[in-house]
Amino acid sequence: MSKMAKIDIDGKSYEFPYITGTENEKGIDISTLRAKTGCIAYDEGYANTGSCKSAITYIDGEKGILRYRGIPIEELAEKASFVEVAYLLIMNKLPNGTELRRFSDLLTRNEMIHEDMKVHFEGFPSTAHPMAILSAMINAAGCFYPELVHSYSEESFEIQAARLIAQVRTIAAFSYRKSRGLPIIYPKPFYRYTANFLHMMFSEPYQDYEMDPEAIRALDMIFILHADHEQNCSTSTVRMVASSHANLFASAAAGVCALWGPRHGGANQAVIEMLQNIYKSGDDGTAFMEAVKNRQEGKRLMGFGHRVYKNYDPRAKIIKQTCNDLLRNLHVDDPLLDIAQRLEDKALNDPYFIERKLYPNVDFYSGIIMRAIGIPLEMFTVIFAIGRMPGWIANYKEVREDLKGRIYRPRQIYVGSPLSEYTPIKDRN
Ligand code: CMC
């Protein structure tokens, strides 16, 4: 007989099935809770709520483990390319040589956005944040594939996924060029995914950008480390939108919006802004850390803390090492790296951070790598979005292929005004 969990409410006992995942994660299936008891489960911020069963990514936050489709992130970061990882996440297997070539060709054939989309870039003010442009343009790109809006089919999904992965990079580079008043640079089919992005960002019509292989590899690795992270805020948003059967491009555009905030993907920009402010003020980090601990103006040590990791974020470990290696090899001396390392040392030895189990997360050192490559600050979260696209797509697919899946629709505990009467305007004060 399967194991049951008991809940007692008002002297009555109810039973709910235990469920376990493949890594022995435990849960209680309360899908019949309201029907049986009249109560809902209240869980602000969903910290204890499993919103789905998923076979894509596994995290053990206590042990600092992250795996895509069962493969440790450390191995993927060292051995795989971003395109391989994208295939793994979406297709649920590592591609063989033929599959990888086919998928890469599909990306190349779909990397250009429709020429008519270029006029949309003109409509944005030069002050527009690239995340706003990215979200709007992904949704706009979907309009060029009307078949998307009407149906979902497993057969056409690979091509839609390839379009999105290839075009998000083109849109991102075009929005950067536009924001700087620079001419748009088209992709070159013989460049690989990440090199092509750098080419579209930094080449000029009269001169190709000279690429450093180490910089390309570091950026490719940043994409890999960001590719998925189970039910985080933006991925949950994508799944939420997908559950209404909105199309893939619309769901991904919503994911971009959720990612933008400084508590989520926007933290990589916020970390550098924080380090720059500390640098400009001449503080060695001590005054800033005191302000954080005293919650002065709601200050937080950006790039620290995580809902799931209560140990060192495995992505941060890899990024920190890459950051040190890259800066040394490119002969870049960035004073912000010294400040970041000092803040990390202080935090890891400070009871405030120790008691709360706050460690560096993926965003703490990634910005310093991007600065060294020459990527401008306002593009950092866009880089996160390019990397996260395969994860969003894999999650979208999981939702759409679950034939028993229901629309996501949480409940609430209402705490507003009780039944009241409508007061005519003349009687209102
Ligand atoms: N600096 C100082 N204090 C912090 C920090 C921080 N970065 N993060 C959490 N705390 C404190 C918080 O004040 C609270 O203290 P207390 O219990 O005394 O009230 C305690 O730690 C728990 O924090 P929480 O806000 O309840 O934790 P959460 O799981 O809701 O939030 C988080 C997670 C990532 C939003 C938060 O740690 C944070 O704001 N970090 C800074 C922003 C950041 O780096 N975000 C990137 C996250 S990783 C990449 C991604 O997901 O995009």
mmCIF file of all heavy atoms in Angstrom, residues 54-71:
data_model
loop_
_atom_site.group_PDB
_atom_site.id
_atom_site.type_symbol
_atom_site.label_atom_id
_atom_site.label_comp_id
_atom_site.label_asym_id
_atom_site.label_seq_id
_atom_site.Cartn_x
_atom_site.Cartn_y
_atom_site.Cartn_z
ATOM 1 N N SER A 54 8.563 17.583 -13.009
ATOM 2 C CA SER A 54 9.371 17.923 -14.181
ATOM 3 C C SER A 54 10.563 16.985 -14.283
ATOM 4 O O SER A 54 11.117 16.563 -13.267
ATOM 5 C CB SER A 54 9.867 19.369 -14.072
ATOM 6 O OG SER A 54 10.714 19.661 -15.162
ATOM 7 N N ALA A 55 10.931 16.660 -15.526
ATOM 8 C CA ALA A 55 12.052 15.732 -15.747
ATOM 9 C C ALA A 55 13.256 16.449 -16.343
ATOM 10 O O ALA A 55 14.121 15.820 -16.941
ATOM 11 C CB ALA A 55 11.581 14.606 -16.676
ATOM 12 N N ILE A 56 13.301 17.780 -16.209
ATOM 13 C CA ILE A 56 14.345 18.526 -16.929
ATOM 14 C C ILE A 56 15.588 18.752 -16.055
ATOM 15 O O ILE A 56 16.685 18.334 -16.404
ATOM 16 C CB ILE A 56 13.774 19.875 -17.442
ATOM 17 C CG1 ILE A 56 12.550 19.616 -18.333
ATOM 18 C CG2 ILE A 56 14.847 20.636 -18.226
ATOM 19 C CD1 ILE A 56 11.726 20.854 -18.651
ATOM 20 N N THR A 57 15.408 19.436 -14.933
ATOM 21 C CA THR A 57 16.563 19.858 -14.129
ATOM 22 C C THR A 57 16.390 19.432 -12.684
ATOM 23 O O THR A 57 15.288 19.503 -12.137
ATOM 24 C CB THR A 57 16.710 21.395 -14.233
ATOM 25 O OG1 THR A 57 17.199 21.685 -15.536
ATOM 26 C CG2 THR A 57 17.682 21.958 -13.219
ATOM 27 N N TYR A 58 17.509 19.004 -12.081
ATOM 28 C CA TYR A 58 17.474 18.610 -10.682
ATOM 29 C C TYR A 58 18.415 19.496 -9.867
ATOM 30 O O TYR A 58 19.560 19.721 -10.274
ATOM 31 C CB TYR A 58 17.903 17.138 -10.538
ATOM 32 C CG TYR A 58 18.074 16.717 -9.104
ATOM 33 C CD1 TYR A 58 16.970 16.592 -8.272
ATOM 34 C CD2 TYR A 58 19.335 16.465 -8.575
ATOM 35 C CE1 TYR A 58 17.121 16.234 -6.945
ATOM 36 C CE2 TYR A 58 19.496 16.096 -7.254
ATOM 37 C CZ TYR A 58 18.386 15.983 -6.441
ATOM 38 O OH TYR A 58 18.537 15.629 -5.122
ATOM 39 N N ILE A 59 17.899 20.031 -8.763
ATOM 40 C CA ILE A 59 18.735 20.820 -7.855
ATOM 41 C C ILE A 59 18.621 20.236 -6.448
ATOM 42 O O ILE A 59 17.518 19.925 -5.996
ATOM 43 C CB ILE A 59 18.252 22.298 -7.788
ATOM 44 C CG1 ILE A 59 18.292 22.960 -9.169
ATOM 45 C CG2 ILE A 59 19.102 23.102 -6.801
ATOM 46 C CD1 ILE A 59 17.766 24.396 -9.178
ATOM 47 N N ASP A 60 19.762 20.080 -5.782
ATOM 48 C CA ASP A 60 19.743 19.835 -4.342
ATOM 49 C C ASP A 60 20.427 21.050 -3.707
ATOM 50 O O ASP A 60 21.656 21.177 -3.759
ATOM 51 C CB ASP A 60 20.487 18.536 -3.989
ATOM 52 C CG ASP A 60 20.431 18.235 -2.489
ATOM 53 O OD1 ASP A 60 20.386 19.202 -1.690
ATOM 54 O OD2 ASP A 60 20.434 17.057 -2.109
ATOM 55 N N GLY A 61 19.612 21.952 -3.196
ATOM 56 C CA GLY A 61 20.112 23.235 -2.689
ATOM 57 C C GLY A 61 20.966 23.095 -1.443
ATOM 58 O O GLY A 61 21.831 23.928 -1.182
ATOM 59 N N GLU A 62 20.720 22.034 -0.663
ATOM 60 C CA GLU A 62 21.508 21.847 0.566
ATOM 61 C C GLU A 62 22.913 21.374 0.217
ATOM 62 O O GLU A 62 23.893 21.761 0.826
ATOM 63 C CB GLU A 62 20.839 20.811 1.494
ATOM 64 C CG GLU A 62 19.815 21.425 2.457
ATOM 65 C CD GLU A 62 18.543 21.895 1.756
ATOM 66 O OE1 GLU A 62 18.122 21.229 0.777
ATOM 67 O OE2 GLU A 62 17.985 22.933 2.157
ATOM 68 N N LYS A 63 22.989 20.524 -0.830
ATOM 69 C CA LYS A 63 24.313 19.967 -1.183
ATOM 70 C C LYS A 63 24.988 20.763 -2.302
ATOM 71 O O LYS A 63 26.127 20.457 -2.682
ATOM 72 C CB LYS A 63 24.146 18.509 -1.637
ATOM 73 C CG LYS A 63 23.664 17.595 -0.536
ATOM 74 C CD LYS A 63 23.822 16.148 -0.950
ATOM 75 C CE LYS A 63 23.249 15.223 0.114
ATOM 76 N NZ LYS A 63 22.390 14.191 -0.468
ATOM 77 N N GLY A 64 24.288 21.734 -2.888
ATOM 78 C CA GLY A 64 24.885 22.508 -3.982
ATOM 79 C C GLY A 64 25.004 21.695 -5.262
ATOM 80 O O GLY A 64 26.030 21.743 -5.949
ATOM 81 N N ILE A 65 23.957 20.931 -5.593
ATOM 82 C CA ILE A 65 23.983 20.089 -6.801
ATOM 83 C C ILE A 65 23.044 20.663 -7.857
ATOM 84 O O ILE A 65 21.915 21.054 -7.544
ATOM 85 C CB ILE A 65 23.521 18.645 -6.460
ATOM 86 C CG1 ILE A 65 24.545 17.953 -5.567
ATOM 87 C CG2 ILE A 65 23.258 17.820 -7.727
ATOM 88 C CD1 ILE A 65 24.103 16.588 -5.070
ATOM 89 N N LEU A 66 23.508 20.693 -9.103
ATOM 90 C CA LEU A 66 22.660 21.104 -10.237
ATOM 91 C C LEU A 66 22.948 20.163 -11.407
ATOM 92 O O LEU A 66 24.104 19.954 -11.772
ATOM 93 C CB LEU A 66 22.978 22.554 -10.624
ATOM 94 C CG LEU A 66 22.400 23.078 -11.954
ATOM 95 C CD1 LEU A 66 20.873 23.067 -11.961
ATOM 96 C CD2 LEU A 66 22.903 24.502 -12.241
ATOM 97 N N ARG A 67 21.881 19.570 -11.951
ATOM 98 C CA ARG A 67 22.039 18.665 -13.102
ATOM 99 C C ARG A 67 20.991 18.965 -14.148
ATOM 100 O O ARG A 67 19.821 19.182 -13.804
ATOM 101 C CB ARG A 67 21.848 17.202 -12.677
ATOM 102 C CG ARG A 67 22.852 16.727 -11.690
ATOM 103 C CD ARG A 67 22.549 15.273 -11.300
ATOM 104 N NE ARG A 67 23.248 14.947 -10.069
ATOM 105 C CZ ARG A 67 22.762 14.138 -9.133
ATOM 106 N NH1 ARG A 67 21.589 13.545 -9.294
ATOM 107 N NH2 ARG A 67 23.460 13.903 -8.049
ATOM 108 N N TYR A 68 21.401 18.967 -15.420
ATOM 109 C CA TYR A 68 20.430 19.052 -16.518
ATOM 110 C C TYR A 68 20.217 17.643 -17.053
ATOM 111 O O TYR A 68 21.182 16.984 -17.460
ATOM 112 C CB TYR A 68 20.966 19.898 -17.684
ATOM 113 C CG TYR A 68 21.277 21.354 -17.402
ATOM 114 C CD1 TYR A 68 22.128 22.054 -18.256
ATOM 115 C CD2 TYR A 68 20.722 22.049 -16.337
ATOM 116 C CE1 TYR A 68 22.427 23.394 -18.055
ATOM 117 C CE2 TYR A 68 21.021 23.390 -16.125
ATOM 118 C CZ TYR A 68 21.878 24.056 -16.983
ATOM 119 O OH TYR A 68 22.176 25.390 -16.779
ATOM 120 N N ARG A 69 18.999 17.175 -17.072
ATOM 121 C CA ARG A 69 18.675 15.827 -17.555
ATOM 122 C C ARG A 69 19.614 14.792 -16.937
ATOM 123 O O ARG A 69 20.105 13.880 -17.612
ATOM 124 C CB ARG A 69 18.763 15.752 -19.097
ATOM 125 C CG ARG A 69 17.836 16.716 -19.840
ATOM 126 C CD ARG A 69 16.385 16.314 -19.760
ATOM 127 N NE ARG A 69 15.542 17.130 -20.633
ATOM 128 C CZ ARG A 69 14.210 17.038 -20.659
ATOM 129 N NH1 ARG A 69 13.564 16.212 -19.865
ATOM 130 N NH2 ARG A 69 13.507 17.797 -21.458
ATOM 131 N N GLY A 70 19.952 15.001 -15.682
ATOM 132 C CA GLY A 70 20.771 14.039 -14.933
ATOM 133 C C GLY A 70 22.267 14.300 -15.003
ATOM 134 O O GLY A 70 23.039 13.718 -14.240
ATOM 135 N N ILE A 71 22.719 15.177 -15.906
ATOM 136 C CA ILE A 71 24.165 15.379 -16.079
ATOM 137 C C ILE A 71 24.637 16.568 -15.230
ATOM 138 O O ILE A 71 24.066 17.660 -15.321
ATOM 139 C CB ILE A 71 24.511 15.620 -17.569
ATOM 140 C CG1 ILE A 71 23.993 14.453 -18.413
ATOM 141 C CG2 ILE A 71 26.020 15.808 -17.760
ATOM 142 C CD1 ILE A 71 24.190 14.616 -19.896
#
